[in-house]
Amino acid sequence: ETVSETFWITNSPSAKPGNTLDCGIANLRNNQLLWKDQDCGDLTAHGQTLAPICQFGEVNPGTSSTSSPEHTTTPPPDTTTPPVTTTSSKPEGCPLSWSHYEDICYWVIETELTWVDARAECQLLGADLASSHSYEQESFLTALYTSSAKNGWLGGTDFDEEGTWVWIDGTEFDFTYWFTGTNEGQGGGAQNCLAYSGYYNKWFDFGCFEQYWAICSKAI
């Protein structure tokens, strides 16, 4: 049947000529099923085996398939980043599958986005790009961000004044974790956004239009 309504995540479906991403998968994010295009031969996503979502019977025209009493759906496999445990109890109100540190909830976006698009994606979840304020909190983020092959945006920027970094969530920029030896944090006017390196476990300043994963956070 004709697709009349779409729920694609940011940057999907791919518009690159000759791409082979011809099938769609559903990804559970913040209790919402969002779509992502994928190669039809791939049987896994985010390290998890894919399972089909089946429909029995016909959907009445004009009726949402998610609310029809005449069929049931099977939820997709859990593709979220496993929650990282801490010594503090989980705050009431942290969304399902989010990780937590003290009174802050965290979510890793495993889609490569620009800094601006990553922030917009976090805001759709009622959060913002994450900030970091101590070695203990940075250790938590290190454990949360399990991919050594990816960089991840945080909420640091020196847009307004080169070399003067601020957190976009409004908290004080009272802690740094820059990679040493390459003048990180002073990269000039073309590098105004802060990212965490999963390989070096340190911060780098990059051009904001580079595309990386991201870490969202929100206080509870």
Side-chain angles (χ1 to χ4, degrees):
E1 64 185 67
T2 302
V3 176
S4 58
E5 193 171 6
T6 61
F7 302 91
W8 296 109
I9 65 173
T10 305
N11 289 345
S12 283
S14 174
K16 293 181 179 179
N19 79 79
T20 60
L21 307 180
D22 297 323
C23 289
I25 64 173
N27 188 7
L28 183 62
R29 292 190 175 190
N30 199 31
N31 294 326
Q32 295 182 354
L33 283 179
L34 300 178
W35 300 354
K36 186 178 187 300
D37 52 343
Q38 180 162 309
D39 191 301
C40 299
D42 290 343
L43 302 180
T44 62
H46 307 293
Q48 301 291 329
T49 301
L50 293 173
I53 301 177
C54 302
Q55 174 184 310
F56 179 79
E58 296 185 3
V59 179
N60 295 327
T63 301
S64 170
S65 61
T66 58
S67 59
S68 172
E70 300 179 1
H71 76 281
T72 59
T73 60
T74 302
D78 184 5
T79 59
T80 59
T81 301
V84 178
T85 58
T86 69
T87 56
S88 58
S89 60
K90 182 175 181 179
E92 292 294 331
C94 267
L96 181 67
S97 296
W98 285 52
S99 300
H100 65 95
Y101 176 81
E102 295 182 347
D103 60 348
I104 302 176
C105 302
Y106 294 89
W107 182 264
V108 177
I109 296 178
E110 297 180 350
T111 302
E112 293 185 344
L113 302 169
T114 67
W115 188 88
V116 172
D117 287 342
R119 187 185 186 194
E121 192 83 1
C122 288
Q123 290 174 328
L124 285 175
L125 301 176
D128 212 329
L129 287 171
S131 58
S132 182
H133 301 277
S134 67
Y135 286 107
E136 293 76 16
Q137 191 172 12
E138 195 64 37
S139 296
F140 168 82
L141 293 178
T142 298
L144 176 67
Y145 197 78
T146 57
S147 174
S148 62
K150 300 289 186 180
N151 296 326
W153 290 122
L154 296 176
T157 177
D158 66 345
F159 274 132
D160 293 336
E161 182 178 348
E162 178 58 33
T164 301
W165 289 84
V166 299
W167 294 116
I168 54 171
D169 63 5
T171 56
E172 184 180 357
F173 203 90
D174 52 1
F175 169 79
T176 61
Y177 205 61
W178 297 111
F179 181 80
T180 58
T182 56
N183 204 32
E184 296 303 322
Q186 304 290 331
Q191 296 176 306
N192 298 123
C193 291
L194 189 156
Y196 172 80
S197 168
Y199 182 80
Y200 291 101
N201 294 329
K202 288 286 186 177
W203 298 352
F204 287 78
D205 55 345
F206 290 111
C208 301
F209 291 100
E210 300 290 335
Q211 295 189 347
Y212 301 130
W213 289 11
I215 302 177
C216 307
S217 70
K218 60 180 176 179
I220 298 298

PDB file of all heavy atoms in Angstrom, residues 79-115:
ATOM      1  N   THR A  79      17.708  -1.639  20.563  1.00  0.00           N
ATOM      2  CA  THR A  79      18.957  -1.179  19.963  1.00  0.00           C
ATOM      3  C   THR A  79      19.545  -0.022  20.748  1.00  0.00           C
ATOM      4  O   THR A  79      20.384   0.708  20.243  1.00  0.00           O
ATOM      5  CB  THR A  79      18.718  -0.738  18.512  1.00  0.00           C
ATOM      6  OG1 THR A  79      17.747   0.323  18.496  1.00  0.00           O
ATOM      7  CG2 THR A  79      18.208  -1.898  17.672  1.00  0.00           C
ATOM      8  N   THR A  80      19.087   0.172  21.964  1.00  0.00           N
ATOM      9  CA  THR A  80      19.591   1.280  22.759  1.00  0.00           C
ATOM     10  C   THR A  80      20.907   0.911  23.414  1.00  0.00           C
ATOM     11  O   THR A  80      21.241  -0.249  23.585  1.00  0.00           O
ATOM     12  CB  THR A  80      18.582   1.670  23.852  1.00  0.00           C
ATOM     13  OG1 THR A  80      18.345   0.534  24.677  1.00  0.00           O
ATOM     14  CG2 THR A  80      17.262   2.111  23.230  1.00  0.00           C
ATOM     15  N   THR A  81      21.665   1.937  23.780  1.00  0.00           N
ATOM     16  CA  THR A  81      22.902   1.710  24.506  1.00  0.00           C
ATOM     17  C   THR A  81      22.570   1.209  25.899  1.00  0.00           C
ATOM     18  O   THR A  81      21.729   1.786  26.590  1.00  0.00           O
ATOM     19  CB  THR A  81      23.696   3.023  24.615  1.00  0.00           C
ATOM     20  OG1 THR A  81      23.967   3.502  23.296  1.00  0.00           O
ATOM     21  CG2 THR A  81      24.995   2.809  25.367  1.00  0.00           C
ATOM     22  N   PRO A  82      23.175   0.096  26.354  1.00  0.00           N
ATOM     23  CA  PRO A  82      22.838  -0.445  27.676  1.00  0.00           C
ATOM     24  C   PRO A  82      23.062   0.595  28.762  1.00  0.00           C
ATOM     25  O   PRO A  82      24.066   1.311  28.755  1.00  0.00           O
ATOM     26  CB  PRO A  82      23.820  -1.616  27.833  1.00  0.00           C
ATOM     27  CG  PRO A  82      24.224  -1.969  26.440  1.00  0.00           C
ATOM     28  CD  PRO A  82      24.193  -0.681  25.672  1.00  0.00           C
ATOM     29  N   PRO A  83      22.109   0.746  29.692  1.00  0.00           N
ATOM     30  CA  PRO A  83      22.280   1.714  30.769  1.00  0.00           C
ATOM     31  C   PRO A  83      23.519   1.412  31.595  1.00  0.00           C
ATOM     32  O   PRO A  83      23.864   0.262  31.835  1.00  0.00           O
ATOM     33  CB  PRO A  83      20.994   1.525  31.613  1.00  0.00           C
ATOM     34  CG  PRO A  83      20.026   0.852  30.693  1.00  0.00           C
ATOM     35  CD  PRO A  83      20.839   0.016  29.767  1.00  0.00           C
ATOM     36  N   VAL A  84      24.195   2.483  32.004  1.00  0.00           N
ATOM     37  CA  VAL A  84      25.367   2.344  32.853  1.00  0.00           C
ATOM     38  C   VAL A  84      24.941   2.557  34.293  1.00  0.00           C
ATOM     39  O   VAL A  84      24.311   3.560  34.628  1.00  0.00           O
ATOM     40  CB  VAL A  84      26.443   3.387  32.467  1.00  0.00           C
ATOM     41  CG1 VAL A  84      27.642   3.268  33.388  1.00  0.00           C
ATOM     42  CG2 VAL A  84      26.851   3.182  31.013  1.00  0.00           C
ATOM     43  N   THR A  85      25.269   1.616  35.171  1.00  0.00           N
ATOM     44  CA  THR A  85      24.851   1.714  36.563  1.00  0.00           C
ATOM     45  C   THR A  85      25.787   2.622  37.340  1.00  0.00           C
ATOM     46  O   THR A  85      26.973   2.726  37.044  1.00  0.00           O
ATOM     47  CB  THR A  85      24.824   0.328  37.215  1.00  0.00           C
ATOM     48  OG1 THR A  85      26.123  -0.259  37.118  1.00  0.00           O
ATOM     49  CG2 THR A  85      23.816  -0.567  36.517  1.00  0.00           C
ATOM     50  N   THR A  86      25.249   3.295  38.340  1.00  0.00           N
ATOM     51  CA  THR A  86      26.037   4.135  39.233  1.00  0.00           C
ATOM     52  C   THR A  86      25.632   3.800  40.658  1.00  0.00           C
ATOM     53  O   THR A  86      24.702   3.041  40.898  1.00  0.00           O
ATOM     54  CB  THR A  86      25.795   5.634  38.958  1.00  0.00           C
ATOM     55  OG1 THR A  86      24.451   5.953  39.357  1.00  0.00           O
ATOM     56  CG2 THR A  86      25.962   5.959  37.484  1.00  0.00           C
ATOM     57  N   THR A  87      26.321   4.417  41.616  1.00  0.00           N
ATOM     58  CA  THR A  87      25.997   4.165  43.012  1.00  0.00           C
ATOM     59  C   THR A  87      24.736   4.896  43.434  1.00  0.00           C
ATOM     60  O   THR A  87      24.161   4.571  44.459  1.00  0.00           O
ATOM     61  CB  THR A  87      27.170   4.611  43.908  1.00  0.00           C
ATOM     62  OG1 THR A  87      27.459   5.986  43.641  1.00  0.00           O
ATOM     63  CG2 THR A  87      28.410   3.778  43.603  1.00  0.00           C
ATOM     64  N   SER A  88      24.314   5.886  42.673  1.00  0.00           N
ATOM     65  CA  SER A  88      23.109   6.627  43.027  1.00  0.00           C
ATOM     66  C   SER A  88      21.899   5.925  42.451  1.00  0.00           C
ATOM     67  O   SER A  88      21.973   5.243  41.442  1.00  0.00           O
ATOM     68  CB  SER A  88      23.186   8.064  42.503  1.00  0.00           C
ATOM     69  OG  SER A  88      23.365   8.057  41.107  1.00  0.00           O
ATOM     70  N   SER A  89      20.730   6.110  43.099  1.00  0.00           N
ATOM     71  CA  SER A  89      19.518   5.492  42.617  1.00  0.00           C
ATOM     72  C   SER A  89      19.012   6.233  41.393  1.00  0.00           C
ATOM     73  O   SER A  89      19.272   7.414  41.219  1.00  0.00           O
ATOM     74  CB  SER A  89      18.442   5.526  43.721  1.00  0.00           C
ATOM     75  OG  SER A  89      18.168   6.864  44.094  1.00  0.00           O
ATOM     76  N   LYS A  90      18.295   5.515  40.538  1.00  0.00           N
ATOM     77  CA  LYS A  90      17.781   6.131  39.324  1.00  0.00           C
ATOM     78  C   LYS A  90      16.704   7.138  39.663  1.00  0.00           C
ATOM     79  O   LYS A  90      15.755   6.830  40.369  1.00  0.00           O
ATOM     80  CB  LYS A  90      17.204   5.057  38.395  1.00  0.00           C
ATOM     81  CG  LYS A  90      16.696   5.632  37.073  1.00  0.00           C
ATOM     82  CD  LYS A  90      16.259   4.536  36.136  1.00  0.00           C
ATOM     83  CE  LYS A  90      15.771   5.115  34.826  1.00  0.00           C
ATOM     84  NZ  LYS A  90      15.350   4.072  33.887  1.00  0.00           N
ATOM     85  N   PRO A  91      16.822   8.380  39.158  1.00  0.00           N
ATOM     86  CA  PRO A  91      15.824   9.391  39.491  1.00  0.00           C
ATOM     87  C   PRO A  91      14.473   9.031  38.902  1.00  0.00           C
ATOM     88  O   PRO A  91      14.379   8.447  37.828  1.00  0.00           O
ATOM     89  CB  PRO A  91      16.393  10.661  38.821  1.00  0.00           C
ATOM     90  CG  PRO A  91      17.814  10.360  38.500  1.00  0.00           C
ATOM     91  CD  PRO A  91      17.885   8.890  38.307  1.00  0.00           C
ATOM     92  N   GLU A  92      13.427   9.375  39.622  1.00  0.00           N
ATOM     93  CA  GLU A  92      12.092   9.204  39.086  1.00  0.00           C
ATOM     94  C   GLU A  92      11.947  10.104  37.868  1.00  0.00           C
ATOM     95  O   GLU A  92      12.287  11.274  37.903  1.00  0.00           O
ATOM     96  CB  GLU A  92      11.044   9.568  40.145  1.00  0.00           C
ATOM     97  CG  GLU A  92      10.986   8.613  41.323  1.00  0.00           C
ATOM     98  CD  GLU A  92      10.521   7.233  40.909  1.00  0.00           C
ATOM     99  OE1 GLU A  92       9.750   7.138  39.934  1.00  0.00           O
ATOM    100  OE2 GLU A  92      10.921   6.252  41.551  1.00  0.00           O
ATOM    101  N   GLY A  93      11.449   9.561  36.775  1.00  0.00           N
ATOM    102  CA  GLY A  93      11.220  10.383  35.599  1.00  0.00           C
ATOM    103  C   GLY A  93      12.236  10.186  34.494  1.00  0.00           C
ATOM    104  O   GLY A  93      12.048  10.708  33.403  1.00  0.00           O
ATOM    105  N   CYS A  94      13.342   9.453  34.724  1.00  0.00           N
ATOM    106  CA  CYS A  94      14.257   9.144  33.629  1.00  0.00           C
ATOM    107  C   CYS A  94      13.514   8.267  32.622  1.00  0.00           C
ATOM    108  O   CYS A  94      12.914   7.262  33.009  1.00  0.00           O
ATOM    109  CB  CYS A  94      15.497   8.401  34.138  1.00  0.00           C
ATOM    110  SG  CYS A  94      16.899   9.455  34.535  1.00  0.00           S
ATOM    111  N   PRO A  95      13.549   8.612  31.337  1.00  0.00           N
ATOM    112  CA  PRO A  95      12.849   7.793  30.342  1.00  0.00           C
ATOM    113  C   PRO A  95      13.403   6.379  30.294  1.00  0.00           C
ATOM    114  O   PRO A  95      14.560   6.131  30.648  1.00  0.00           O
ATOM    115  CB  PRO A  95      13.117   8.544  29.030  1.00  0.00           C
ATOM    116  CG  PRO A  95      13.444   9.949  29.446  1.00  0.00           C
ATOM    117  CD  PRO A  95      14.142   9.827  30.752  1.00  0.00           C
ATOM    118  N   LEU A  96      12.591   5.478  29.825  1.00  0.00           N
ATOM    119  CA  LEU A  96      12.974   4.084  29.703  1.00  0.00           C
ATOM    120  C   LEU A  96      14.224   3.947  28.842  1.00  0.00           C
ATOM    121  O   LEU A  96      14.334   4.560  27.788  1.00  0.00           O
ATOM    122  CB  LEU A  96      11.822   3.284  29.073  1.00  0.00           C
ATOM    123  CG  LEU A  96      12.052   1.782  28.883  1.00  0.00           C
ATOM    124  CD1 LEU A  96      12.138   1.090  30.229  1.00  0.00           C
ATOM    125  CD2 LEU A  96      10.930   1.188  28.031  1.00  0.00           C
ATOM    126  N   SER A  97      15.188   3.172  29.329  1.00  0.00           N
ATOM    127  CA  SER A  97      16.437   2.834  28.636  1.00  0.00           C
ATOM    128  C   SER A  97      17.471   3.955  28.643  1.00  0.00           C
ATOM    129  O   SER A  97      18.552   3.786  28.091  1.00  0.00           O
ATOM    130  CB  SER A  97      16.168   2.396  27.183  1.00  0.00           C
ATOM    131  OG  SER A  97      15.421   1.210  27.167  1.00  0.00           O
ATOM    132  N   TRP A  98      17.170   5.109  29.251  1.00  0.00           N
ATOM    133  CA  TRP A  98      18.180   6.144  29.402  1.00  0.00           C
ATOM    134  C   TRP A  98      19.121   5.749  30.541  1.00  0.00           C
ATOM    135  O   TRP A  98      18.724   5.070  31.489  1.00  0.00           O
ATOM    136  CB  TRP A  98      17.535   7.494  29.714  1.00  0.00           C
ATOM    137  CG  TRP A  98      16.868   8.159  28.540  1.00  0.00           C
ATOM    138  CD1 TRP A  98      15.948   7.602  27.706  1.00  0.00           C
ATOM    139  CD2 TRP A  98      17.074   9.497  28.098  1.00  0.00           C
ATOM    140  NE1 TRP A  98      15.561   8.518  26.772  1.00  0.00           N
ATOM    141  CE2 TRP A  98      16.233   9.694  26.975  1.00  0.00           C
ATOM    142  CE3 TRP A  98      17.870  10.544  28.537  1.00  0.00           C
ATOM    143  CZ2 TRP A  98      16.174  10.900  26.299  1.00  0.00           C
ATOM    144  CZ3 TRP A  98      17.813  11.758  27.858  1.00  0.00           C
ATOM    145  CH2 TRP A  98      16.980  11.922  26.741  1.00  0.00           C
ATOM    146  N   SER A  99      20.367   6.179  30.446  1.00  0.00           N
ATOM    147  CA  SER A  99      21.325   5.981  31.529  1.00  0.00           C
ATOM    148  C   SER A  99      21.280   7.193  32.454  1.00  0.00           C
ATOM    149  O   SER A  99      20.749   8.249  32.097  1.00  0.00           O
ATOM    150  CB  SER A  99      22.733   5.798  30.957  1.00  0.00           C
ATOM    151  OG  SER A  99      22.772   4.677  30.096  1.00  0.00           O
ATOM    152  N   HIS A 100      21.849   7.056  33.652  1.00  0.00           N
ATOM    153  CA  HIS A 100      21.757   8.169  34.602  1.00  0.00           C
ATOM    154  C   HIS A 100      23.025   8.287  35.421  1.00  0.00           C
ATOM    155  O   HIS A 100      23.734   7.315  35.680  1.00  0.00           O
ATOM    156  CB  HIS A 100      20.555   7.984  35.532  1.00  0.00           C
ATOM    157  CG  HIS A 100      20.677   6.788  36.441  1.00  0.00           C
ATOM    158  ND1 HIS A 100      21.158   6.853  37.728  1.00  0.00           N
ATOM    159  CD2 HIS A 100      20.399   5.488  36.226  1.00  0.00           C
ATOM    160  CE1 HIS A 100      21.158   5.649  38.271  1.00  0.00           C
ATOM    161  NE2 HIS A 100      20.706   4.798  37.384  1.00  0.00           N
ATOM    162  N   TYR A 101      23.314   9.517  35.790  1.00  0.00           N
ATOM    163  CA  TYR A 101      24.403   9.834  36.717  1.00  0.00           C
ATOM    164  C   TYR A 101      23.872  10.904  37.663  1.00  0.00           C
ATOM    165  O   TYR A 101      23.495  11.997  37.222  1.00  0.00           O
ATOM    166  CB  TYR A 101      25.635  10.343  35.967  1.00  0.00           C
ATOM    167  CG  TYR A 101      26.763  10.787  36.877  1.00  0.00           C
ATOM    168  CD1 TYR A 101      27.634   9.852  37.434  1.00  0.00           C
ATOM    169  CD2 TYR A 101      26.938  12.131  37.192  1.00  0.00           C
ATOM    170  CE1 TYR A 101      28.662  10.248  38.265  1.00  0.00           C
ATOM    171  CE2 TYR A 101      27.966  12.542  38.030  1.00  0.00           C
ATOM    172  CZ  TYR A 101      28.833  11.601  38.565  1.00  0.00           C
ATOM    173  OH  TYR A 101      29.844  11.989  39.395  1.00  0.00           O
ATOM    174  N   GLU A 102      23.805  10.563  38.959  1.00  0.00           N
ATOM    175  CA  GLU A 102      23.217  11.441  39.951  1.00  0.00           C
ATOM    176  C   GLU A 102      21.813  11.854  39.499  1.00  0.00           C
ATOM    177  O   GLU A 102      20.965  11.001  39.301  1.00  0.00           O
ATOM    178  CB  GLU A 102      24.147  12.627  40.225  1.00  0.00           C
ATOM    179  CG  GLU A 102      25.471  12.184  40.864  1.00  0.00           C
ATOM    180  CD  GLU A 102      26.393  13.331  41.201  1.00  0.00           C
ATOM    181  OE1 GLU A 102      26.158  14.465  40.729  1.00  0.00           O
ATOM    182  OE2 GLU A 102      27.373  13.095  41.947  1.00  0.00           O
ATOM    183  N   ASP A 103      21.551  13.148  39.265  1.00  0.00           N
ATOM    184  CA  ASP A 103      20.198  13.572  38.907  1.00  0.00           C
ATOM    185  C   ASP A 103      20.087  13.939  37.426  1.00  0.00           C
ATOM    186  O   ASP A 103      19.256  14.755  37.036  1.00  0.00           O
ATOM    187  CB  ASP A 103      19.754  14.753  39.768  1.00  0.00           C
ATOM    188  CG  ASP A 103      20.667  15.963  39.619  1.00  0.00           C
ATOM    189  OD1 ASP A 103      21.761  15.816  39.023  1.00  0.00           O
ATOM    190  OD2 ASP A 103      20.298  17.054  40.091  1.00  0.00           O
ATOM    191  N   ILE A 104      20.931  13.330  36.595  1.00  0.00           N
ATOM    192  CA  ILE A 104      20.931  13.632  35.162  1.00  0.00           C
ATOM    193  C   ILE A 104      20.736  12.341  34.375  1.00  0.00           C
ATOM    194  O   ILE A 104      21.325  11.302  34.687  1.00  0.00           O
ATOM    195  CB  ILE A 104      22.248  14.315  34.738  1.00  0.00           C
ATOM    196  CG1 ILE A 104      22.451  15.606  35.534  1.00  0.00           C
ATOM    197  CG2 ILE A 104      22.237  14.619  33.235  1.00  0.00           C
ATOM    198  CD1 ILE A 104      23.772  16.290  35.243  1.00  0.00           C
ATOM    199  N   CYS A 105      19.896  12.401  33.347  1.00  0.00           N
ATOM    200  CA  CYS A 105      19.638  11.266  32.470  1.00  0.00           C
ATOM    201  C   CYS A 105      20.363  11.481  31.141  1.00  0.00           C
ATOM    202  O   CYS A 105      20.462  12.611  30.660  1.00  0.00           O
ATOM    203  CB  CYS A 105      18.138  11.118  32.207  1.00  0.00           C
ATOM    204  SG  CYS A 105      17.162  10.893  33.704  1.00  0.00           S
ATOM    205  N   TYR A 106      20.862  10.392  30.552  1.00  0.00           N
ATOM    206  CA  TYR A 106      21.676  10.475  29.339  1.00  0.00           C
ATOM    207  C   TYR A 106      21.162   9.528  28.261  1.00  0.00           C
ATOM    208  O   TYR A 106      20.657   8.449  28.548  1.00  0.00           O
ATOM    209  CB  TYR A 106      23.135  10.109  29.645  1.00  0.00           C
ATOM    210  CG  TYR A 106      23.842  11.087  30.543  1.00  0.00           C
ATOM    211  CD1 TYR A 106      23.794  10.942  31.928  1.00  0.00           C
ATOM    212  CD2 TYR A 106      24.555  12.162  30.017  1.00  0.00           C
ATOM    213  CE1 TYR A 106      24.443  11.843  32.767  1.00  0.00           C
ATOM    214  CE2 TYR A 106      25.204  13.063  30.836  1.00  0.00           C
ATOM    215  CZ  TYR A 106      25.144  12.892  32.211  1.00  0.00           C
ATOM    216  OH  TYR A 106      25.786  13.787  33.043  1.00  0.00           O
ATOM    217  N   TRP A 107      21.352   9.981  27.016  1.00  0.00           N
ATOM    218  CA  TRP A 107      20.981   9.176  25.858  1.00  0.00           C
ATOM    219  C   TRP A 107      22.045   9.361  24.779  1.00  0.00           C
ATOM    220  O   TRP A 107      22.450  10.485  24.490  1.00  0.00           O
ATOM    221  CB  TRP A 107      19.629   9.616  25.313  1.00  0.00           C
ATOM    222  CG  TRP A 107      19.151   8.808  24.133  1.00  0.00           C
ATOM    223  CD1 TRP A 107      19.286   9.113  22.807  1.00  0.00           C
ATOM    224  CD2 TRP A 107      18.454   7.574  24.187  1.00  0.00           C
ATOM    225  NE1 TRP A 107      18.721   8.147  22.031  1.00  0.00           N
ATOM    226  CE2 TRP A 107      18.200   7.177  22.846  1.00  0.00           C
ATOM    227  CE3 TRP A 107      18.018   6.754  25.235  1.00  0.00           C
ATOM    228  CZ2 TRP A 107      17.527   5.997  22.539  1.00  0.00           C
ATOM    229  CZ3 TRP A 107      17.355   5.584  24.910  1.00  0.00           C
ATOM    230  CH2 TRP A 107      17.104   5.218  23.586  1.00  0.00           C
ATOM    231  N   VAL A 108      22.503   8.270  24.170  1.00  0.00           N
ATOM    232  CA  VAL A 108      23.489   8.341  23.093  1.00  0.00           C
ATOM    233  C   VAL A 108      22.768   8.242  21.755  1.00  0.00           C
ATOM    234  O   VAL A 108      22.019   7.282  21.514  1.00  0.00           O
ATOM    235  CB  VAL A 108      24.529   7.215  23.211  1.00  0.00           C
ATOM    236  CG1 VAL A 108      25.507   7.269  22.032  1.00  0.00           C
ATOM    237  CG2 VAL A 108      25.293   7.326  24.525  1.00  0.00           C
ATOM    238  N   ILE A 109      22.961   9.236  20.897  1.00  0.00           N
ATOM    239  CA  ILE A 109      22.418   9.198  19.537  1.00  0.00           C
ATOM    240  C   ILE A 109      23.438   8.495  18.647  1.00  0.00           C
ATOM    241  O   ILE A 109      24.537   9.015  18.436  1.00  0.00           O
ATOM    242  CB  ILE A 109      22.138  10.615  19.000  1.00  0.00           C
ATOM    243  CG1 ILE A 109      21.056  11.294  19.838  1.00  0.00           C
ATOM    244  CG2 ILE A 109      21.717  10.556  17.537  1.00  0.00           C
ATOM    245  CD1 ILE A 109      20.755  12.720  19.402  1.00  0.00           C
ATOM    246  N   GLU A 110      23.103   7.347  18.145  1.00  0.00           N
ATOM    247  CA  GLU A 110      24.029   6.550  17.345  1.00  0.00           C
ATOM    248  C   GLU A 110      23.793   6.779  15.855  1.00  0.00           C
ATOM    249  O   GLU A 110      23.741   5.853  15.050  1.00  0.00           O
ATOM    250  CB  GLU A 110      23.906   5.080  17.724  1.00  0.00           C
ATOM    251  CG  GLU A 110      24.286   4.819  19.173  1.00  0.00           C
ATOM    252  CD  GLU A 110      24.166   3.363  19.563  1.00  0.00           C
ATOM    253  OE1 GLU A 110      23.605   2.585  18.759  1.00  0.00           O
ATOM    254  OE2 GLU A 110      24.628   2.999  20.654  1.00  0.00           O
ATOM    255  N   THR A 111      23.616   8.035  15.503  1.00  0.00           N
ATOM    256  CA  THR A 111      23.477   8.466  14.113  1.00  0.00           C
ATOM    257  C   THR A 111      24.440   9.617  13.901  1.00  0.00           C
ATOM    258  O   THR A 111      24.555  10.493  14.762  1.00  0.00           O
ATOM    259  CB  THR A 111      22.043   8.939  13.811  1.00  0.00           C
ATOM    260  OG1 THR A 111      21.125   7.871  14.084  1.00  0.00           O
ATOM    261  CG2 THR A 111      21.900   9.372  12.361  1.00  0.00           C
ATOM    262  N   GLU A 112      25.154   9.635  12.790  1.00  0.00           N
ATOM    263  CA  GLU A 112      26.126  10.689  12.541  1.00  0.00           C
ATOM    264  C   GLU A 112      25.416  11.953  12.076  1.00  0.00           C
ATOM    265  O   GLU A 112      24.751  11.965  11.036  1.00  0.00           O
ATOM    266  CB  GLU A 112      27.157  10.219  11.514  1.00  0.00           C
ATOM    267  CG  GLU A 112      28.032   9.095  12.056  1.00  0.00           C
ATOM    268  CD  GLU A 112      29.136   8.703  11.099  1.00  0.00           C
ATOM    269  OE1 GLU A 112      29.062   9.066   9.907  1.00  0.00           O
ATOM    270  OE2 GLU A 112      30.092   8.049  11.553  1.00  0.00           O
ATOM    271  N   LEU A 113      25.561  13.014  12.882  1.00  0.00           N
ATOM    272  CA  LEU A 113      24.882  14.287  12.635  1.00  0.00           C
ATOM    273  C   LEU A 113      25.857  15.440  12.820  1.00  0.00           C
ATOM    274  O   LEU A 113      26.861  15.310  13.507  1.00  0.00           O
ATOM    275  CB  LEU A 113      23.720  14.465  13.625  1.00  0.00           C
ATOM    276  CG  LEU A 113      22.630  13.392  13.649  1.00  0.00           C
ATOM    277  CD1 LEU A 113      21.732  13.602  14.860  1.00  0.00           C
ATOM    278  CD2 LEU A 113      21.808  13.443  12.368  1.00  0.00           C
ATOM    279  N   THR A 114      25.543  16.591  12.221  1.00  0.00           N
ATOM    280  CA  THR A 114      26.296  17.801  12.539  1.00  0.00           C
ATOM    281  C   THR A 114      25.969  18.210  13.971  1.00  0.00           C
ATOM    282  O   THR A 114      24.999  17.740  14.562  1.00  0.00           O
ATOM    283  CB  THR A 114      25.931  18.957  11.592  1.00  0.00           C
ATOM    284  OG1 THR A 114      24.560  19.359  11.835  1.00  0.00           O
ATOM    285  CG2 THR A 114      26.084  18.547  10.132  1.00  0.00           C
ATOM    286  N   TRP A 115      26.766  19.115  14.518  1.00  0.00           N
ATOM    287  CA  TRP A 115      26.535  19.569  15.893  1.00  0.00           C
ATOM    288  C   TRP A 115      25.156  20.196  16.039  1.00  0.00           C
ATOM    289  O   TRP A 115      24.434  19.938  16.998  1.00  0.00           O
ATOM    290  CB  TRP A 115      27.630  20.563  16.280  1.00  0.00           C
ATOM    291  CG  TRP A 115      27.655  20.984  17.720  1.00  0.00           C
ATOM    292  CD1 TRP A 115      28.307  20.379  18.749  1.00  0.00           C
ATOM    293  CD2 TRP A 115      27.009  22.143  18.289  1.00  0.00           C
ATOM    294  NE1 TRP A 115      28.116  21.082  19.925  1.00  0.00           N
ATOM    295  CE2 TRP A 115      27.328  22.160  19.666  1.00  0.00           C
ATOM    296  CE3 TRP A 115      26.216  23.149  17.763  1.00  0.00           C
ATOM    297  CZ2 TRP A 115      26.872  23.165  20.528  1.00  0.00           C
ATOM    298  CZ3 TRP A 115      25.741  24.146  18.620  1.00  0.00           C
ATOM    299  CH2 TRP A 115      26.069  24.142  19.986  1.00  0.00           C
TER     300      TRP A 115
END
